[in-house]
Each structure stands twice: as C-alpha cells, then as structure tokens.
C-alpha cells in the first residue's frame, strides 16, 4: 500500500528529532501542498526547495526521499533559486534517491562546484526536465544516461563554447534544448552534437521577444505569465542588426495559417528591451489583424514550461510585406490588418551571427519544428535547403552521401582485379569506372564525414633537445618543406631558425640568432636544393642557410652554413623563384629588392611599385620571371622581370588593404586576402575576379586576413588575427566546407590566427600559427587533421594517404 503523504511528514519529523535537527518549514509546507493537490485530484507534485538547506538537514530529508517511490507522490521537482550551503555530494545523493519519480531538476544558481557537474555529466539523471543555467561548463560533455530527459536548459552558461564529441549520446527523448547567452560559435560541431538527438524538435540559442509597436515591450498579464528567464544580474547584450529572411506567400496562405503564426497570447508578459540598445538591434515586423481575428484559445506548444522558468510563448515567424520589401535597417515588415508587433533578439551567442545560421540549422536538423521561438514552416525548410546547397558543402568534392571507408576500399580493390578473374558479384556497378583520384577523394569525404571534430595538437618542440631545460620557442613564421613530407622550418620572435621533423616532433637543425636577427618574418625553401632556405628578419637581415653542410655540435644537433645578403630594411616577406636562381624581398616600404642566389648579390631595387608598403611578394610556381605584389594601398599587381618592372602587367583592386597574395599550384589563379576577411580568387592571366568567398567581415580595421590553398587548388583555408576560427572553402564554388575553432588550453583564454599553411603532402591537413590574446602567453603551431577524429592518437594524425594534388582536377 502506498505511503500516505502525512506519513511522510511524520517520518521526517521523527528523523529530525533523532538527528537533533530543527525541521525545515519549507519542506513541511511542500508536503502539505502536495497533499492538497492529491485531495483535489491534481497531479501530486512535491517541490523540494534546496535554498538555504544545510548539511545538517541532509539525513532527515534523505529518509523521506528514499521512501517517495513507495508513496502517493507522483512526481518530485528539485529547485534551487538562490545560494545553497548544501554539499554538492549530498545534493546528488538526494536527487538520485528520488529515482523514477524525479521530474524537474532546476538549479538556476549553481553553487555545488565542478565535482557536481562532472558527476551529473558522466552518470546522468532520471529527471524529465533539467535546468543547469549559469553552469560552469566550458566544453559540454553530457555523456551519462538521461533516458527520460525531454527538456534541457543551459541558458546563461557564459563559459560554454563547444561540445565534446560524445555529448548528447544518451538522450534519446530530448525534445527541447535551450542555450541562450552562451559562447557557442561553430556551426559544424554544434550540428554534429545535436545530430545525436533524434527527438529534438525545439531548439533555442536566442530569444525573439515580441513587443508592441508603441515602444513598450510588455503588457499587463496574469500572474502565471513569465518572461524569458535570466539571472538577476544579467544584462542585455547589445546586438548587431539581424534580418530574418523568412518569406510567406500571402497569395496562397490561408487566413487560418496566418493566425497560427501569431503569438499564442496577445497580453503575454514580455521582457523589457534594453534601453541602451541601438535601433539597429531590433527587427520590426508590422503585422495587422482585425481584433476579432485574434484567437485567444491558442496555447503554448509542449516543451518550455513555467515550472522551469522558461518562456512559454510561441512567437511568430518573420513576415514579409506583400511587396516582399525589406527595410534599410534589416527589419522585415508585413501588413495583414491593424495589429503591429516588434521582435527583438536577446541573449544570442556568437553562432547566431554566423552567415545563414538559421538556414544552416533548419537544413541540418530535419525533424526540428521550432528554432529560437520561431516555428519552422515548409517554405522555411525549402528556402533553407536551397540556401545550404548554395553556400555550404556537407562533404568535400561534392559528395552528397556519407560512405563507409571499407566499402570504398573494397570497390577500389575489385576494380583492380582483371575482369577475366572477377566473379559475377565482383563486377562493377558502373561500366565507366573511377580513377584513383576519384577514390582518393571519396576516401577523404568518408573520413571527413565521420570526423566533425578534427584532430588537433600543438607541435611540441622545446629547447630541451638543445640542453636548455627552461627554453621554449616563440614561433612567428613557418613553412612546410616542398619535397620532404616530414620537414618544417619555423622562425622565432627571438631570431632563431629551427628545422624540425614535425611528424616525430624532433629538432633536425637549430640556427641561433647570434645577436644579428630580430623576429624572423620571411622564410622560403629552395625547391631544387632541398637542404637550403632563405630567412629574413624584421631588422633587414637576409641569409641563405644550408642545413646539409654544417658542423656537428656537442649534442649531436645540426647547425647550418650560411650566406649573407645585403640587408632589406623592415622586411616582411621573401620568396624564391621556380628555378632557385632569384629571390625577392619586400617590407614596410614601397620597394621590392631582387637578389641573385648564386652570386649572393642584390641585383636591383624596384622603387615605388605601390603607394603604400608591400606586405607580401610571391613568385609564380612555374614561371621564373612572373611575380605578384600585395600592398595596403588596396592593389594587387602582377609583374614580369623580362619587362623591367616599370609598370605592372595589370592591377587588381580590393576595397581594403591587401595583407597577402599567393598563386595556385598550377598558376591559374591568384588568391588575394585583404583586411577583415575580404578573400577573392582572381584569374592570374588578367586579374579579373573569378570568385568572391564572401566571408563575413567583423568591422575591425586591424583584422588582418591570410589565406592559402589546400589540397592543391581544390580548397582554400583562411584565418584572421582577430578571430579564433579557420574557414575551409571550396576554391571552385566558394562554398564553405568547415570552420575550425581554436580554443585555448586554459579557461577563458582565447586564441587567434597569426598564420597558416596547408600540408602539401596530406589531404585536408594543415598547420596554424596560433597566438593567445594574453601578452604573457606564447604562440604555438597547431597541427590539424580534418580526416581524423579528435579522439584518435598522434600516430594517425601524422599519417594519412598522400596523393599528388597538382595532378588533381577541380
């Protein structure tokens, strides 16, 4: 027979007497309220408030919670609305003891510490609704069993920036998820994590708040109405302009369909907008309906409910006006009758400001019905799918479906068997067959399809190999070796040049600064003499090193013989031509110097080639006399030494200062990178625009962007010094394949991209020179393998199939 609720009260009072603890009036009141609900034939819910509960209260409460499973109580909500002195371990024991009758766990002001979060993440909970707002997660790793959970709220977890690979793997029934005012930013890893939630139908990263057209963002309402939840000390974020491109065909939409898009309650108590926010932060929708057309019977959809202080309103989709016009401020307005509304976005994390964020989410989560309080209609999904196809790639090389690596290898092996020896089952499905390059690409697509979180690790090179226990390098520039897949050279801020085996993470040759070099900004290997390289520093020093002809040092490491060239003041860039006969130097001047490698002489200085300083100069890969210059005067210029560069072959102009330029491996294209993500591909023949990658600008004038080719000329990688992300785009279509987010090792530390290079031997491998925003932190070279999972070992990251990219088509 079920234990009566008054009997639970008696058990509690007796336990308090035995433990010499004063009974908590809040708990006795909660038992009384539960008994009243039972007498009224309502759902018998016991609310346990942990506010002000102390460790001495633990044992009496535990004696009651362990008996709840055999009692009349039907559900238990555990709430924490303010500070709590209860030990986190005690709190977990109380919560777990409720077992199957646990309904809501609402820990708004989390004060139980990291061990509490770690235990919840690893072991899970039996609740149906979990509210962990303002939690201290940095990388979310909810891998425990949450089999009954249908609603999860992580709002205001301002440290939360990413997900672990196995996150959400045991939440088969989760339907509603909210992550407002977090630091989530990466579309791809976010979707990969959310794809493990087969029941997810409502997702929220921001609140679209409805307010009337008079300027007030709220109206009087009933006591049961609540606005979007937020901590008392939370301030509104000042948002950049947002425009929702959600179109409604008013000619074919029924009157009932339009009414269904309206908020369920016209007098919902919406949260006030931030008075200091600019007008650009609003999205204004003017929707007019006759008063008698408003349906007051609408109710909130299942999911968010007031018991966990989540907004219960369902706001409408953005309506276009009948002419499809959009205001100059990014607001879309539509007129249906006489009622006007405004929708304001609040508490949006960085992911919401990614280009085509909404379309990306809708196209990637087919079962999703509501995103950011806005319902998803069939027309929205159609537009999202078209937008996704236009701007993004799911898999590289235009592969549409994920394939199994083993299956691809089997197909390749079957085709290698002579037809006379094939069985009927081994005959190919398509008579034309596939090239080895096609199989290599299919393997890349298959591996990337299962590796959304790329394998990343820092190049671990220190001064320990040199006998300096405290020594560590501060890299400033690096280059892969053009013919030896294991070698890389980097120059440091202290003037050192270090040649390393980046596969084994060992130093091959070390060249100290000898007090003659400052920061090494220019490095270039010779192609036909693979042991030689040019190094230039910002104080103008220029040297040719040969790491093969060197004396041995006492510790067995190699130094290098050198040739010194005439200085080039304030140098920023050096580059060797295709025959290893000449090299160019540029820097903080309008001039470019030409040097003869064989004689060691400076042949000529070309003056006033640009109106401002020339940051980068590059020879073409195949023609020894053709070179390009990029300048902060916004011009890219092509030159030919055979014409005594007095005037350029042509000039291509950017809208901002150019940071760098480089040739595609086959010299068909120029990749130009200007300040703040202005990345364009030009035809090398005449400088005409071939492709604008349309990477969103940040608005920062010192966001210096650098871009290079990856996989031959198939893809490009682009990163900027004010951002922590590297973007991978198709070089033929401009569509975005992946974003790679850099995260600091310490909590709260941010990284940015100082330089980057694609690995010339391994598909979808690259290295990134990343620096921390904190001045005391040192930069590091991060190796990235997009074809390997973040869980793989180091050996797999340095391996991988290699193939001649230059022979591959587009």
């Amino acid at each position: 027979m079920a234990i009566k609720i008054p009997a639970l009260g008696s058990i509690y009072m007796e336990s308090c007497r035995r433990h010499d603890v004063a009974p908590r009036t809040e708990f006795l009141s909660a038992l009384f309220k539960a008994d009243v609900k039972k007498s009224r034939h309502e759902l018998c819910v016991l609310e346990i408030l942990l506010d002000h509960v102390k460790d001495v209260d633990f044992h009496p409460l535990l004696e009651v919670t362990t008996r709840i499973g055999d009692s009349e109580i039907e559900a238990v909500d555990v709430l924490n609305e303010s500070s709590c002195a209860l030990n986190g371990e005690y709190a977990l024991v109380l919560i777990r003891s409720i077992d199957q009758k646990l309904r809501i766990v609402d820990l708004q002001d989390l004060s139980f510490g990291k061990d509490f979060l770690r235990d919840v993440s690893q072991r899970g909970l039996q609740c149906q609704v979990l509210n962990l707002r303002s939690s201290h997660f940095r990388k979310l790793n909810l891998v425990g069993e949450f089999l009954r959970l249908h609603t999860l709220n992580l709002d205001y977890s301002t440290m939360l920036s990413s997900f672990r690979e196995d996150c959400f793997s045991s939440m088969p029934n989760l339907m509603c998820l909210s992550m407002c005012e977090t630091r989530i930013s990466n579309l791809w890893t976010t979707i990969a994590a959310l794809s493990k939630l087969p029941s997810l139908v409502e997702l929220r990263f921001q609140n679209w708040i409805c307010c009337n057209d008079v300027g007030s963002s709220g109206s009087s309402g009933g006591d049961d109405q609540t606005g979007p939840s937020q901590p008392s000390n939370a301030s509104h974020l000042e948002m950049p302009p947002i425009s929702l491109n959600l179109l409604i065909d008013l000619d074919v939409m029924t009157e009932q369909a339009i009414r269904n898009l309206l908020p369920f309650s016209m007098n919902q108590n919406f949260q006030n907008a931030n008075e200091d926010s600019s007008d650009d932060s609003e999205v204004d929708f003017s929707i007019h309906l006759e008063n008698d057309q408003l349906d007051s019977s609408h109710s909130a959809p299942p999911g968010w409910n007031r018991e966990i202080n989540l907004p219960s309103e369902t706001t409408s989709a953005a309506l276009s006006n009948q002419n499809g016009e959009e205001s100059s401020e990014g607001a879309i307005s539509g007129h249906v009758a006489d009622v006007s509304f405004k929708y304001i976005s609040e508490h949006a994390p960085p992911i919401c400001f990614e280009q085509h964020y909404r379309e990306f989410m809708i196209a990637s989560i087919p079962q999703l019905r509501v995103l950011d309080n806005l319902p998803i209609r069939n027309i929205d999904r159609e537009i999202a799918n078209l937008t996704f196809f236009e701007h993004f790639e799911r898999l590289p090389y235009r592969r549409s479906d994920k394939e199994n690596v083993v299956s691809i290898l089997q197909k390749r092996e079957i085709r290698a068997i002579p037809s006379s020896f094939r069985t009927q089952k081994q005959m190919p499905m398509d008579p034309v067959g596939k090239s080895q390059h096609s199989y290599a690409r299919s393997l890349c697509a298959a591996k990337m399809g299962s590796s959304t979180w790329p394998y990343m690790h820092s190049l671990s090179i220190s001064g320990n190999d040199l006998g300096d226990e405290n020594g560590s390098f501060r890299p400033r520039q690096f280059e892969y070796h053009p013919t030896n897949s294991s070698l890389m050279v980097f120059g440091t801020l202290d003037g050192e040049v270090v040649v390393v085996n980046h596969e084994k993470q060992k130093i091959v040759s070390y060249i100290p600064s000898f007090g003659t070099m400052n920061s090494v900004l220019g490095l270039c290997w010779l192609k036909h003499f693979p042991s030689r390289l040019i190094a230039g520093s910002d104080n103008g020093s220029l040297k040719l090193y040969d790491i093969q002809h060197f004396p041995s040092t006492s510790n067995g490491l190699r130094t290098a013989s050198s040739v010194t060239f005439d200085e080039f003041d304030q140098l920023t860039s050096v580059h060797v031509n295709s025959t290893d006969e000449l090299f160019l130097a540029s820097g903080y001047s309008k001039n470019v110097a030409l040097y003869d490698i064989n004689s060691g002489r400076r042949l000529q200085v070309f003056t006033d080639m640009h109106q401002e300083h020339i940051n980068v100069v590059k020879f073409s890969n195949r023609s020894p006399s053709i070179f390009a210059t990029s300048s902060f005067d916004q011009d890219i210029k092509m030159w030919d030494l055979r014409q005594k560069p007095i005037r350029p072959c042509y000039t291509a102009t950017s809208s901002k200062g150019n940071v760098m330029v480089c040739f595609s491996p086959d010299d068909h294209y120029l990749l130009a990178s200007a300040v703040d993500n202005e990345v364009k591909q030009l035809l090398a023949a005449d400088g005409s625009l071939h492709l604008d990658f349309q990477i969103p600008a940040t608005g920062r004038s010192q966001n210096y962007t650098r871009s290079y080719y990856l996989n031959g000329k198939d893809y490009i990688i682009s990163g900027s010094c004010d951002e922590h992300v590297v973007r991978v785009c198709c070089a033929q279509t401009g569509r975005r394949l992946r974003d790679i987010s850099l995260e600091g090792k310490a909590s709260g530390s941010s990284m940015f991209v100082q330089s980057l290079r694609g690995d010339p031997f391994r598909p979808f491998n690259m290295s990134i020179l990343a620096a921390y925003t904190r001045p005391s932190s040192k930069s590091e070279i991060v190796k990235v393998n997009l074809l390997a999972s973040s869980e793989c070992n180091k050996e797999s990251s340095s391996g991988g199939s290699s193939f001649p990219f230059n022979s591959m088509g587009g």
Side-chain angles (χ1 to χ4, degrees):
M1 184 176 177
I3 301 175
K4 301 292 186 180
I5 294 177
L8 290 177
S10 300
I11 293 172
Y12 176 67
M13 295 295 292
E14 174 60 24
S15 180
C16 287
R17 185 189 63 78
R18 290 199 315 271
H19 291 90
D20 194 22
V21 176
R24 297 202 61 82
T25 57
E26 298 94 335
F27 185 67
L28 293 173
S29 175
L31 288 173
F32 175 76
K33 291 178 181 178
D35 196 30
V36 171
K37 292 178 182 178
K38 178 69 177 177
S39 66
R40 294 177 178 175
H41 304 288
E42 300 174 2
L43 182 66
C44 185
V45 179
L46 174 64
E47 291 188 357
I48 300 178
L49 189 64
L50 296 182
D51 295 5
H52 312 299
V53 173
K54 301 178 181 179
D55 290 350
V56 295
D57 302 313
F58 168 71
H59 290 288
L61 289 174
L62 183 62
E63 288 196 36
V64 176
T65 56
T66 53
R67 290 185 167 97
I68 284 178
D70 298 323
S71 72
E72 294 179 326
I73 292 175
E74 298 175 86
V76 178
D77 297 344
V78 179
L79 311 175
N80 169 220
E81 297 177 350
S82 61
S83 61
C84 180
L86 184 63
N87 179 279
E89 185 177 350
Y90 284 169
L92 269 175
V93 172
L94 278 177
I95 292 172
R96 295 193 192 282
S97 67
I98 300 169
D99 200 29
Q100 294 295 318
K101 291 189 177 181
L102 185 63
R103 187 178 68 149
I104 295 174
V105 175
D106 185 357
L107 307 177
Q108 297 184 31
D109 187 10
L110 194 59
S111 55
F112 300 121
K114 292 182 178 179
D115 291 338
F116 179 93
L117 284 177
R118 187 178 297 110
D119 190 282
V120 170
S121 300
Q122 298 299 318
R123 295 179 57 193
L125 285 175
Q126 291 294 321
C127 59
Q128 300 176 40
V129 176
L130 178 59
N131 184 355
L132 288 177
R133 290 182 298 154
S134 304
S135 64
H136 299 288
F137 289 112
R138 184 163 170 250
K139 278 192 173 182
L140 196 63
N141 194 31
L142 297 176
V143 296
E145 290 191 352
F146 297 86
L147 302 182
R148 301 176 64 235
L149 190 67
H150 63 71
T151 300
L152 174 62
N153 183 0
L154 296 167
D155 289 350
Y156 309 104
S157 300
T158 54
M159 297 175 65
L160 178 58
S161 60
S162 59
F163 306 91
R164 296 278 183 190
E165 193 161 355
D166 294 328
C167 188
F168 302 140
S169 56
S170 296
M171 297 184 182
N173 297 306
L174 188 72
M175 298 177 65
C176 304
L177 174 62
S178 184
M179 292 180 283
C180 297
E181 203 160 313
T182 58
R183 293 172 56 199
I184 301 296
S185 61
N186 191 299
L187 289 169
W188 283 265
T189 54
T190 300
I191 286 298
L194 297 179
S195 66
K196 299 181 179 69
L197 301 172
S199 303
L200 185 67
V201 294
E202 184 168 354
L203 176 64
R204 187 173 63 193
F205 282 104
Q206 60 187 327
N207 288 313
W208 282 105
I209 305 303
C210 178
C211 56
N212 62 35
D213 209 19
V214 182
S216 171
S217 59
S219 57
S220 61
D223 295 336
D224 289 343
Q225 294 170 336
T226 58
S229 55
Q230 70 176 60
S232 58
N233 61 348
S235 61
H236 294 284
L237 296 179
E238 193 162 327
M239 314 302 294
I242 299 175
S243 176
L244 290 181
N245 186 24
L246 303 176
L247 305 178
I248 294 179
D249 187 349
L250 297 177
D251 293 330
V252 299
M253 174 166 283
T254 64
E255 179 179 314
Q256 181 61 41
I258 295 175
R259 289 205 305 269
N260 288 339
L261 290 174
L262 291 175
F264 79 98
S265 175
M266 297 306 301
N267 58 358
Q268 181 73 21
N269 182 23
F270 296 109
Q271 186 174 11
N272 288 333
N274 183 8
E275 294 179 358
D276 295 331
S277 297
S278 67
D279 293 337
D280 290 340
S281 67
E282 298 183 357
V283 178
D284 182 5
F285 305 112
S286 300
I287 307 171
H288 299 280
L289 285 180
E290 299 294 342
N291 291 335
D292 59 0
Q293 289 179 325
L294 298 178
D295 189 352
S296 61
S297 65
H298 286 187
S299 59
W304 314 122
N305 55 71
R306 59 175 300 275
E307 292 169 292
I308 57 169
N309 292 327
L310 283 170
S312 57
E313 75 273 17
T314 301
T315 57
S316 78
L319 297 181
S320 67
N321 61 24
Q322 295 183 9
N323 297 323
E325 295 178 355
E326 184 173 338
S327 76
S328 59
E329 298 177 352
I332 304 173
S333 60
H335 303 280
V336 183
D338 297 326
V339 180
S340 298
F341 298 99
K342 283 185 180 179
Y343 288 85
I344 304 173
S345 171
E346 292 187 331
H347 313 303
I351 194 172
C352 295
F353 306 116
E354 285 292 321
Q355 199 171 30
H356 308 298
Y357 147 77
R358 183 173 176 85
E359 291 82 2
F360 190 100
M361 287 288 171
I362 294 173
S364 302
I365 311 176
Q367 76 276 14
L368 201 63
R369 298 178 185 174
V370 179
L371 177 60
D372 299 335
N373 291 19
L374 301 176
I376 299 170
R377 299 159 295 134
N378 290 335
I379 185 67
D380 301 332
R381 202 170 298 280
E382 292 174 7
I383 293 173
N385 290 332
L386 291 173
T387 302
F388 187 99
F389 180 79
E390 181 181 356
H391 296 283
F392 301 99
E393 282 189 352
R394 293 192 188 277
L395 296 170
Y397 296 115
R398 294 187 283 275
R399 299 319 194 251
S400 57
D401 300 316
K402 290 184 180 180
E403 292 187 81
N404 183 279
V405 173
V406 175
S407 173
I408 296 171
L409 293 175
Q410 286 176 341
K411 292 177 182 178
R412 185 178 67 178
E413 295 305 315
I414 290 173
R415 291 190 179 281
I417 301 174
S419 58
S420 58
F421 293 96
R422 292 179 187 159
T423 65
Q424 186 65 30
K425 291 183 178 180
Q426 290 178 328
M427 294 302 290
M429 295 297 293
D430 55 314
V432 177
K434 290 185 176 181
S435 67
Q436 289 302 309
H437 291 318
S438 179
Y439 280 115
R441 291 175 171 183
S442 295
L443 282 172
C444 287
K447 291 179 180 180
M448 189 175 291
S450 59
S451 306
T452 305
W453 284 265
Y455 181 71
M456 304 170 64
H457 69 97
S458 298
L459 186 62
S460 181
I461 301 293
S462 69
N464 295 338
D465 293 338
L466 305 175
D468 184 0
E469 295 182 358
N470 299 321
S472 60
F473 297 115
R474 301 191 298 160
R476 178 57 185 87
Q477 188 61 276
F478 73 98
E479 293 287 350
Y480 283 101
H481 196 282
T483 58
N484 189 328
S485 64
S486 65
L487 293 186
M488 173 191 291
V489 62
F490 65 83
T492 72
L493 292 170
D494 302 306
E496 304 151 303
V497 176
V498 187
V499 179
V500 299
N501 184 321
H502 63 90
E503 294 176 349
K504 298 180 179 179
Q505 305 198 68
K506 297 291 184 181
I507 297 178
V508 174
S509 180
Y510 171 72
I511 304 164
S513 64
F514 299 118
T516 61
M517 300 184 76
N518 291 340
S519 298
V520 177
L521 299 181
L523 289 169
C524 189
W525 291 95
L526 274 64
K527 303 171 185 64
H528 303 289
F529 301 93
S531 64
R532 300 179 185 179
L533 62 94
I534 301 288
S537 70
D538 58 0
N539 69 348
S541 176
L542 274 167
K543 289 181 179 292
L544 169 69
Y545 293 106
D546 191 332
I547 63 172
Q548 191 171 6
H549 301 90
F550 46 76
S552 298
T553 60
S554 58
N555 56 12
L557 291 174
R558 305 171 179 177
T559 58
S561 60
S562 65
V563 175
T564 301
F565 297 90
D566 291 344
E567 292 185 356
F568 187 92
D569 290 340
Q570 296 181 302
L571 179 144
T572 59
S573 172
V574 297
H575 202 245
V576 179
N577 74 349
S578 60
T579 58
D580 290 348
E581 297 174 329
L582 306 171
F583 78 88
L584 294 165
S586 68
Y588 285 100
S589 73
K590 304 173 186 179
N591 308 330
V592 170
L594 177 67
Y595 294 84
D596 184 281
I597 294 177
N598 294 324
S599 66
R601 295 187 303 111
R602 182 168 63 193
L603 299 179
Q604 194 171 354
V605 176
F606 306 116
T607 60
D608 296 325
M609 301 187 82
H610 283 268
Q611 298 301 310
E612 294 188 29
H613 79 263
I614 302 168
N615 196 52
V616 169
V617 59
K618 291 286 186 182
F619 270 112
S620 74
N621 294 299
R622 298 184 179 183
S623 177
S625 62
I626 300 295
F627 67 96
T629 54
S630 63
S631 170
F632 279 88
D633 65 3
Q634 304 182 9
D635 286 342
I636 299 285
K637 296 185 178 183
M638 184 74 81
W639 308 86
D640 190 340
L641 290 174
R642 294 168 297 186
Q643 299 177 357
K644 296 182 180 180
I646 300 175
R647 61 177 59 89
C649 302
Y650 60 78
T651 300
T653 302
S654 305
S655 66
K656 301 168 187 172
N658 292 297
V659 180
M660 65 161 293
V661 66
C662 66
F663 286 83
S664 64
D666 59 5
D667 287 344
H668 287 175
Y669 304 106
L670 285 177
L671 186 62
S673 303
V675 172
D676 203 16
N677 294 325
E678 185 181 340
V679 182
K680 297 178 180 179
Q681 185 168 253
L682 313 175
L683 292 177
D686 58 8
S688 60
L689 178 65
H690 174 259
L691 189 61
D692 186 343
F693 290 92
Q694 298 182 344
I695 300 174
T698 65
R700 295 189 284 269
S701 62
Q702 294 184 332
N703 188 32
Y704 301 119
T705 301
R706 295 169 176 85
S707 306
Y708 284 89
Y709 284 98
L710 179 73
N711 294 17
K713 65 173 183 178
D714 296 342
Y715 286 85
I716 67 132
I717 51 177
S718 182
S720 300
C721 69
D722 273 357
E723 297 180 88
H724 69 287
V725 62
V726 171
R727 300 170 176 92
V728 184
C729 302
C730 177
Q732 300 305 309
T733 64
R735 296 195 295 173
R736 191 104 61 91
L737 176 64
R738 284 288 188 277
D739 281 0
I740 304 164
S741 298
L742 299 175
E743 298 178 7
K745 298 175 182 177
S747 176
S749 60
S750 299
M751 304 183 76
F752 58 85
V753 181
Q754 198 162 21
S755 191
L756 71 170
R757 299 289 189 278
D759 190 320
F761 300 97
R762 298 169 182 83
F764 293 108
N765 277 245
M766 70 190 76
S767 290
I768 303 166
L769 178 59
Y772 289 88
T773 53
R774 293 179 300 184
S776 59
S777 300
K778 296 179 180 179
S779 56
E780 58 187 51
I781 297 175
V782 180
K783 295 182 66 178
V784 180
N785 184 355
L786 291 173
L787 304 185
S789 168
S790 61
E791 302 298 324
C792 75
N793 56 36
K794 291 185 178 180
E795 181 179 354
S796 64
S797 73
S798 61
S801 60
S802 60
F803 49 85
F805 290 122
N806 289 343
S807 62
M808 296 175 62

